[in-house]
Amino acid sequence: MAGKKVLIIYAHQEPKSMNGSLKNTAVDILSKQGCSVTVSDLYAMQFKATTTRNDITGNLCNPQHFNYGVETREAFRHGSLCKDVVEEQKKVQEADLVIFQFPLYWFSMPAIMKGWLDRVLIQGFAHDFPQCYEAGLLKGKLALLSFTTGGTEEMFSKEGDSGDVKYLLWPIQHGMMHFCGFKILSPQINFAPEYVTESRRKEMLTSWAQRLESIWNEKPITCTPPWYFQ
Ligand SMILES: Cc1cc2nc3c(=O)[nH]c(=O)nc-3n(C[C@H](O)[C@H](O)[C@H](O)COP(=O)(O)OP(=O)(O)OC[C@H]3O[C@@H](n4cnc5c(N)ncnc54)[C@H](O)[C@@H]3O)c2cc1C
């Protein structure tokens, strides 16, 4: 789909990792389609994960009692957010599809990626009241979680020790992405790449590449509680 814009938010320290290879596959396949692909390589950028006063460059609304949500909302309105956040917001604004590529850390995303969400998807830019969920300010965009795990697929089944993987996707896909208006594409989950054979890992990469070939024809998943918890 020539002309489409894709942003990959990538969180892995090691370029030779499975996550690095999955990211490279996406860049390769989507670029060949004529998409414009931008990668935010969070560790390489040394992206700051913490929400601090330094994120606001101008005067604070209430220096006596710092409230990050209020101050960043007002800084966004007045154009006084710090440069790295503004740059990431511009990338999000331009993207048709945002892919989050990461290893599962404690049933969630690595802190550096959570910090990206905390600092970039702020009120006024990504959501507001009542502009959330279907009316979220990023509506019209797609989001896709592509991640690897340490645990096997059986462990992440309903009967497995870790429980259905859908449960841990609920806060990210619904509470974060869908809240901001994104439509959600099915997650790309590669279970336990460290513990499978080299040829199985190659299959994982091929399967991701094949999926990406027709990604623009995919229908988003339903982001309602019954879909997750049925
Ligand atoms: C703090 C922390 C918390 C964690 N929490 C959880 C958790 O809650 N649940 C859970 O299940 N797991 C958890 N894990 C485990 C983690 O999710 C896995 O270690 C991670 O997903 C593995 O992906 P990787 O990219 O880091 O693998 P890597 O070890 O980098 O890669 C796996 C293998 O793939 C090979 N490879 C890379 N590219 C290619 C290629 N092109 N072709 C073939 N082979 C290739 C590499 O050489 C390597 O042998 C946690 C880990 C940490 C550090």
CSV table of all heavy atoms in Angstrom, one decimal, residues 12-22 102-108 147-152 155-156 162 190 192-195 198 201-202 205, ligand 1:
chain,number,residue,atom,x,y,z
A,12,HIS,N,14.1,-2.9,22.1
A,12,HIS,CA,15.1,-4.0,22.5
A,12,HIS,C,16.5,-3.5,22.4
A,12,HIS,O,16.8,-2.7,21.6
A,12,HIS,CB,15.0,-5.2,21.5
A,12,HIS,CG,15.4,-6.5,22.2
A,12,HIS,ND1,16.8,-6.7,22.4
A,12,HIS,CD2,14.8,-7.6,22.7
A,12,HIS,CE1,16.9,-7.9,23.0
A,12,HIS,NE2,15.7,-8.5,23.2
A,13,GLN,N,17.3,-3.9,23.4
A,13,GLN,CA,18.7,-3.4,23.5
A,13,GLN,C,19.6,-3.9,22.4
A,13,GLN,O,20.6,-3.3,22.1
A,13,GLN,CB,19.3,-3.7,24.9
A,13,GLN,CG,18.4,-3.4,26.1
A,13,GLN,CD,17.4,-4.5,26.4
A,13,GLN,OE1,17.1,-5.4,25.6
A,13,GLN,NE2,16.8,-4.5,27.6
A,14,GLU,N,19.2,-5.2,21.9
A,14,GLU,CA,20.2,-5.9,21.1
A,14,GLU,C,19.7,-6.0,19.6
A,14,GLU,O,18.7,-6.7,19.3
A,14,GLU,CB,20.4,-7.3,21.7
A,14,GLU,CG,21.2,-8.3,20.9
A,14,GLU,CD,22.6,-7.8,20.5
A,14,GLU,OE1,23.4,-7.5,21.4
A,14,GLU,OE2,22.8,-7.6,19.3
A,15,PRO,N,20.4,-5.4,18.7
A,15,PRO,CA,20.0,-5.5,17.3
A,15,PRO,C,19.9,-6.9,16.7
A,15,PRO,O,19.1,-7.2,15.9
A,15,PRO,CB,21.1,-4.7,16.5
A,15,PRO,CG,21.8,-3.9,17.6
A,15,PRO,CD,21.6,-4.6,18.9
A,16,LYS,N,20.7,-7.9,17.3
A,16,LYS,CA,20.7,-9.2,16.8
A,16,LYS,C,19.6,-10.1,17.5
A,16,LYS,O,19.6,-11.3,17.3
A,16,LYS,CB,22.1,-9.9,17.0
A,16,LYS,CG,23.2,-9.2,16.2
A,16,LYS,CD,24.5,-10.0,16.1
A,16,LYS,CE,25.2,-10.1,17.4
A,16,LYS,NZ,25.7,-8.8,18.0
A,17,SER,N,18.8,-9.5,18.3
A,17,SER,CA,17.8,-10.2,19.0
A,17,SER,C,16.6,-10.7,18.1
A,17,SER,O,16.6,-10.2,16.9
A,17,SER,CB,17.2,-9.4,20.1
A,17,SER,OG,16.5,-8.3,19.5
A,18,MET,N,15.8,-11.5,18.6
A,18,MET,CA,14.6,-11.9,17.8
A,18,MET,C,13.7,-10.7,17.5
A,18,MET,O,13.2,-10.5,16.4
A,18,MET,CB,13.8,-13.0,18.5
A,18,MET,CG,12.8,-13.7,17.7
A,18,MET,SD,13.5,-14.5,16.3
A,18,MET,CE,11.9,-15.1,15.5
A,19,ASN,N,13.6,-9.8,18.5
A,19,ASN,CA,12.8,-8.6,18.3
A,19,ASN,C,13.4,-7.7,17.3
A,19,ASN,O,12.7,-7.1,16.5
A,19,ASN,CB,12.7,-7.8,19.7
A,19,ASN,CG,11.5,-8.3,20.5
A,19,ASN,OD1,10.4,-7.9,20.4
A,19,ASN,ND2,11.8,-9.3,21.3
A,20,GLY,N,14.8,-7.7,17.3
A,20,GLY,CA,15.5,-6.9,16.2
A,20,GLY,C,15.2,-7.5,14.8
A,20,GLY,O,14.9,-6.7,13.9
A,21,SER,N,15.2,-8.8,14.7
A,21,SER,CA,14.9,-9.4,13.4
A,21,SER,C,13.4,-9.2,13.0
A,21,SER,O,13.1,-9.0,11.8
A,21,SER,CB,15.2,-10.9,13.5
A,21,SER,OG,16.5,-11.1,13.6
A,22,LEU,N,12.5,-9.2,14.0
A,22,LEU,CA,11.1,-9.0,13.7
A,22,LEU,C,10.9,-7.5,13.2
A,22,LEU,O,10.1,-7.3,12.3
A,22,LEU,CB,10.2,-9.3,14.9
A,22,LEU,CG,10.1,-10.8,15.3
A,22,LEU,CD1,9.7,-11.0,16.7
A,22,LEU,CD2,9.1,-11.5,14.3
A,102,PHE,N,8.3,-5.6,20.9
A,102,PHE,CA,8.9,-5.6,22.2
A,102,PHE,C,8.9,-7.1,22.8
A,102,PHE,O,8.1,-7.9,22.4
A,102,PHE,CB,8.2,-4.7,23.2
A,102,PHE,CG,6.7,-5.0,23.4
A,102,PHE,CD1,6.3,-5.8,24.5
A,102,PHE,CD2,5.8,-4.6,22.6
A,102,PHE,CE1,5.0,-6.1,24.7
A,102,PHE,CE2,4.4,-4.9,22.7
A,102,PHE,CZ,4.0,-5.6,23.8
A,103,PRO,N,9.8,-7.3,23.7
A,103,PRO,CA,9.8,-8.6,24.5
A,103,PRO,C,8.8,-8.4,25.7
A,103,PRO,O,8.8,-7.3,26.3
A,103,PRO,CB,11.2,-8.8,25.0
A,103,PRO,CG,11.8,-7.4,25.0
A,103,PRO,CD,11.0,-6.5,24.1
A,104,LEU,N,8.0,-9.4,26.0
A,104,LEU,CA,7.2,-9.3,27.2
A,104,LEU,C,8.0,-9.2,28.4
A,104,LEU,O,8.9,-10.0,28.7
A,104,LEU,CB,6.2,-10.5,27.2
A,104,LEU,CG,5.1,-10.4,28.2
A,104,LEU,CD1,4.0,-9.5,27.7
A,104,LEU,CD2,4.4,-11.8,28.4
A,105,TYR,N,7.7,-8.2,29.2
A,105,TYR,CA,8.4,-8.0,30.5
A,105,TYR,C,7.3,-8.0,31.6
A,105,TYR,O,6.4,-7.1,31.6
A,105,TYR,CB,9.2,-6.7,30.6
A,105,TYR,CG,10.6,-6.6,30.0
A,105,TYR,CD1,11.1,-7.7,29.3
A,105,TYR,CD2,11.4,-5.5,30.2
A,105,TYR,CE1,12.4,-7.6,28.8
A,105,TYR,CE2,12.7,-5.5,29.7
A,105,TYR,CZ,13.2,-6.5,29.0
A,105,TYR,OH,14.4,-6.5,28.5
A,106,TRP,N,7.3,-8.9,32.5
A,106,TRP,CA,6.4,-9.0,33.6
A,106,TRP,C,4.9,-8.8,33.1
A,106,TRP,O,4.2,-7.9,33.6
A,106,TRP,CB,6.7,-7.9,34.7
A,106,TRP,CG,8.0,-8.3,35.4
A,106,TRP,CD1,9.1,-7.5,35.4
A,106,TRP,CD2,8.3,-9.4,36.1
A,106,TRP,NE1,10.1,-8.2,36.1
A,106,TRP,CE2,9.6,-9.3,36.6
A,106,TRP,CE3,7.5,-10.6,36.5
A,106,TRP,CZ2,10.2,-10.3,37.4
A,106,TRP,CZ3,8.1,-11.5,37.3
A,106,TRP,CH2,9.5,-11.4,37.7
A,107,PHE,N,4.6,-9.6,32.1
A,107,PHE,CA,3.2,-9.6,31.6
A,107,PHE,C,2.9,-8.3,30.9
A,107,PHE,O,1.7,-8.0,30.8
A,107,PHE,CB,2.2,-9.9,32.7
A,107,PHE,CG,1.9,-11.4,32.9
A,107,PHE,CD1,2.8,-12.3,32.7
A,107,PHE,CD2,0.6,-11.8,33.3
A,107,PHE,CE1,2.6,-13.7,32.9
A,107,PHE,CE2,0.3,-13.1,33.5
A,107,PHE,CZ,1.3,-14.1,33.3
A,108,SER,N,3.8,-7.5,30.6
A,108,SER,CA,3.6,-6.2,30.0
A,108,SER,C,4.7,-5.8,29.0
A,108,SER,O,5.4,-6.6,28.6
A,108,SER,CB,3.4,-5.2,31.1
A,108,SER,OG,2.9,-3.9,30.6
A,147,PHE,N,5.0,-9.0,19.8
A,147,PHE,CA,5.9,-9.2,20.9
A,147,PHE,C,6.3,-10.7,21.1
A,147,PHE,O,5.7,-11.6,20.5
A,147,PHE,CB,5.3,-8.7,22.2
A,147,PHE,CG,4.0,-9.4,22.7
A,147,PHE,CD1,4.0,-10.4,23.6
A,147,PHE,CD2,2.8,-9.0,22.2
A,147,PHE,CE1,2.8,-11.1,24.0
A,147,PHE,CE2,1.6,-9.6,22.5
A,147,PHE,CZ,1.6,-10.6,23.5
A,148,THR,N,7.4,-10.9,21.8
A,148,THR,CA,7.9,-12.2,22.1
A,148,THR,C,7.7,-12.5,23.6
A,148,THR,O,7.6,-11.6,24.4
A,148,THR,CB,9.4,-12.3,21.7
A,148,THR,OG1,10.1,-11.3,22.5
A,148,THR,CG2,9.7,-12.0,20.2
A,149,THR,N,7.8,-13.8,23.9
A,149,THR,CA,7.6,-14.2,25.3
A,149,THR,C,8.8,-15.1,25.7
A,149,THR,O,9.5,-15.6,24.8
A,149,THR,CB,6.3,-14.9,25.5
A,149,THR,OG1,6.4,-16.2,24.8
A,149,THR,CG2,5.1,-14.2,25.0
A,150,GLY,N,8.9,-15.3,27.0
A,150,GLY,CA,9.7,-16.4,27.5
A,150,GLY,C,8.9,-17.7,27.6
A,150,GLY,O,9.4,-18.8,27.3
A,151,GLY,N,7.7,-17.5,28.0
A,151,GLY,CA,6.8,-18.7,28.2
A,151,GLY,C,6.3,-19.2,26.9
A,151,GLY,O,6.2,-18.5,25.9
A,152,THR,N,5.9,-20.5,26.9
A,152,THR,CA,5.4,-21.2,25.7
A,152,THR,C,3.9,-20.8,25.5
A,152,THR,O,3.2,-20.3,26.4
A,152,THR,CB,5.5,-22.7,25.9
A,152,THR,OG1,4.7,-23.1,27.1
A,152,THR,CG2,6.9,-23.1,26.1
A,155,MET,N,1.6,-22.4,28.1
A,155,MET,CA,1.6,-21.6,29.4
A,155,MET,C,0.6,-20.5,29.3
A,155,MET,O,0.0,-20.1,30.3
A,155,MET,CB,3.0,-21.1,29.8
A,155,MET,CG,3.9,-22.2,30.2
A,155,MET,SD,5.6,-21.6,30.4
A,155,MET,CE,5.5,-20.6,31.9
A,156,PHE,N,0.5,-19.9,28.1
A,156,PHE,CA,-0.4,-18.7,27.9
A,156,PHE,C,-1.8,-19.1,27.4
A,156,PHE,O,-2.4,-18.3,26.8
A,156,PHE,CB,0.3,-17.7,27.0
A,156,PHE,CG,1.3,-16.8,27.7
A,156,PHE,CD1,2.7,-17.1,27.5
A,156,PHE,CD2,1.0,-15.8,28.6
A,156,PHE,CE1,3.7,-16.4,28.1
A,156,PHE,CE2,2.0,-15.1,29.2
A,156,PHE,CZ,3.3,-15.4,29.0
A,162,SER,N,0.1,-19.4,33.1
A,162,SER,CA,0.1,-17.9,32.9
A,162,SER,C,-1.3,-17.4,32.6
A,162,SER,O,-1.5,-16.2,32.6
A,162,SER,CB,1.1,-17.5,31.8
A,162,SER,OG,2.4,-17.9,32.2
A,190,ASN,N,5.0,-14.1,19.2
A,190,ASN,CA,6.0,-15.2,19.0
A,190,ASN,C,6.4,-15.8,20.3
A,190,ASN,O,7.2,-15.1,21.1
A,190,ASN,CB,7.1,-14.7,18.1
A,190,ASN,CG,6.7,-14.5,16.7
A,190,ASN,OD1,6.4,-15.5,16.0
A,190,ASN,ND2,6.7,-13.3,16.2
A,192,ALA,N,8.2,-17.9,23.1
A,192,ALA,CA,9.5,-18.6,23.5
A,192,ALA,C,10.5,-18.7,22.4
A,192,ALA,O,11.0,-19.8,22.2
A,192,ALA,CB,9.1,-19.9,24.1
A,193,PRO,N,10.9,-17.6,21.7
A,193,PRO,CA,11.9,-17.8,20.6
A,193,PRO,C,13.2,-18.3,21.1
A,193,PRO,O,13.9,-19.0,20.3
A,193,PRO,CB,12.0,-16.4,20.0
A,193,PRO,CG,11.6,-15.5,21.1
A,193,PRO,CD,10.5,-16.2,21.9
A,194,GLU,N,13.5,-18.1,22.4
A,194,GLU,CA,14.8,-18.6,22.9
A,194,GLU,C,14.9,-20.1,23.0
A,194,GLU,O,15.9,-20.7,23.0
A,194,GLU,CB,15.1,-18.0,24.3
A,194,GLU,CG,15.3,-16.6,24.4
A,194,GLU,CD,14.9,-16.0,25.7
A,194,GLU,OE1,13.7,-15.8,25.9
A,194,GLU,OE2,15.8,-15.8,26.6
A,195,TYR,N,13.7,-20.7,23.1
A,195,TYR,CA,13.6,-22.2,23.4
A,195,TYR,C,13.2,-23.0,22.3
A,195,TYR,O,12.9,-24.2,22.5
A,195,TYR,CB,12.7,-22.4,24.7
A,195,TYR,CG,13.1,-21.5,25.8
A,195,TYR,CD1,12.4,-20.4,26.2
A,195,TYR,CD2,14.4,-21.7,26.4
A,195,TYR,CE1,12.8,-19.5,27.2
A,195,TYR,CE2,14.8,-20.8,27.5
A,195,TYR,CZ,14.0,-19.8,27.8
A,195,TYR,OH,14.4,-18.9,28.8
A,198,GLU,N,16.3,-23.1,15.5
A,198,GLU,CA,16.6,-22.1,14.6
A,198,GLU,C,15.6,-22.1,13.4
A,198,GLU,O,15.1,-21.0,13.0
A,198,GLU,CB,18.0,-22.4,14.0
A,198,GLU,CG,18.5,-21.4,13.0
A,198,GLU,CD,19.0,-20.1,13.5
A,198,GLU,OE1,19.0,-19.9,14.8
A,198,GLU,OE2,19.5,-19.3,12.7
A,201,ARG,N,12.4,-20.5,14.5
A,201,ARG,CA,12.5,-19.0,14.5
A,201,ARG,C,12.4,-18.5,13.1
A,201,ARG,O,11.8,-17.4,12.9
A,201,ARG,CB,13.8,-18.6,15.2
A,201,ARG,CG,13.8,-18.8,16.7
A,201,ARG,CD,14.9,-18.1,17.3
A,201,ARG,NE,16.2,-18.6,17.0
A,201,ARG,CZ,16.8,-19.5,17.8
A,201,ARG,NH1,16.3,-20.0,18.9
A,201,ARG,NH2,18.0,-20.0,17.5
A,202,LYS,N,13.0,-19.1,12.1
A,202,LYS,CA,12.9,-18.7,10.7
A,202,LYS,C,11.4,-18.7,10.3
A,202,LYS,O,11.0,-17.8,9.6
A,202,LYS,CB,13.7,-19.6,9.8
A,202,LYS,CG,15.2,-19.5,10.1
A,202,LYS,CD,15.9,-18.3,9.5
A,202,LYS,CE,17.4,-18.3,9.7
A,202,LYS,NZ,18.0,-17.1,10.1
A,205,LEU,N,9.6,-15.7,11.6
A,205,LEU,CA,9.9,-14.5,10.8
A,205,LEU,C,9.2,-14.5,9.4
A,205,LEU,O,8.6,-13.5,9.0
A,205,LEU,CB,11.4,-14.3,10.6
A,205,LEU,CG,12.2,-14.0,11.9
A,205,LEU,CD1,13.7,-14.3,11.8
A,205,LEU,CD2,12.0,-12.5,12.3
B,1,LIG,C1,12.6,-8.1,33.0
B,1,LIG,C2,12.1,-9.3,32.3
B,1,LIG,C3,10.8,-9.7,32.5
B,1,LIG,C4,10.2,-10.7,31.7
B,1,LIG,N1,8.9,-11.1,31.9
B,1,LIG,C5,8.4,-12.1,31.2
B,1,LIG,C6,7.0,-12.4,31.4
B,1,LIG,O1,6.3,-11.9,32.2
B,1,LIG,N2,6.5,-13.5,30.7
B,1,LIG,C7,7.3,-14.2,29.8
B,1,LIG,O2,6.8,-15.1,29.2
B,1,LIG,N3,8.6,-13.8,29.6
B,1,LIG,C8,9.1,-12.8,30.3
B,1,LIG,N4,10.4,-12.4,30.0
B,1,LIG,C9,11.2,-13.1,29.0
B,1,LIG,C10,11.2,-12.3,27.7
B,1,LIG,O3,9.9,-12.0,27.2
B,1,LIG,C11,12.0,-13.1,26.6
B,1,LIG,O4,13.3,-13.3,27.0
B,1,LIG,C12,12.0,-12.4,25.3
B,1,LIG,O5,10.7,-12.2,24.8
B,1,LIG,C13,12.8,-13.1,24.2
B,1,LIG,O6,12.9,-12.3,23.0
B,1,LIG,P1,14.3,-11.7,22.6
B,1,LIG,O7,14.1,-10.9,21.3
B,1,LIG,O8,14.9,-11.0,23.7
B,1,LIG,O9,15.1,-13.0,22.4
B,1,LIG,P2,16.6,-13.3,22.0
B,1,LIG,O10,17.3,-14.1,23.0
B,1,LIG,O11,17.3,-12.0,21.6
B,1,LIG,O12,16.5,-14.1,20.7
B,1,LIG,C14,16.1,-15.5,20.7
B,1,LIG,C15,16.9,-16.3,19.7
B,1,LIG,O13,16.6,-15.8,18.4
B,1,LIG,C16,17.7,-15.7,17.6
B,1,LIG,N5,17.5,-15.0,16.4
B,1,LIG,C17,17.5,-13.6,16.3
B,1,LIG,N6,17.3,-13.3,15.0
B,1,LIG,C18,17.2,-14.4,14.3
B,1,LIG,C19,16.9,-14.7,13.0
B,1,LIG,N7,16.8,-13.7,12.1
B,1,LIG,N8,16.8,-16.0,12.6
B,1,LIG,C20,16.9,-17.0,13.5
B,1,LIG,N9,17.1,-16.8,14.8
B,1,LIG,C21,17.3,-15.5,15.2
B,1,LIG,C22,18.8,-15.2,18.6
B,1,LIG,O14,20.1,-15.4,18.1
B,1,LIG,C23,18.4,-16.0,19.9
B,1,LIG,O15,19.1,-17.2,19.8
B,1,LIG,C24,11.0,-11.4,30.8
B,1,LIG,C25,12.4,-11.0,30.6
B,1,LIG,C26,12.9,-10.0,31.3
B,1,LIG,C27,14.3,-9.6,31.1
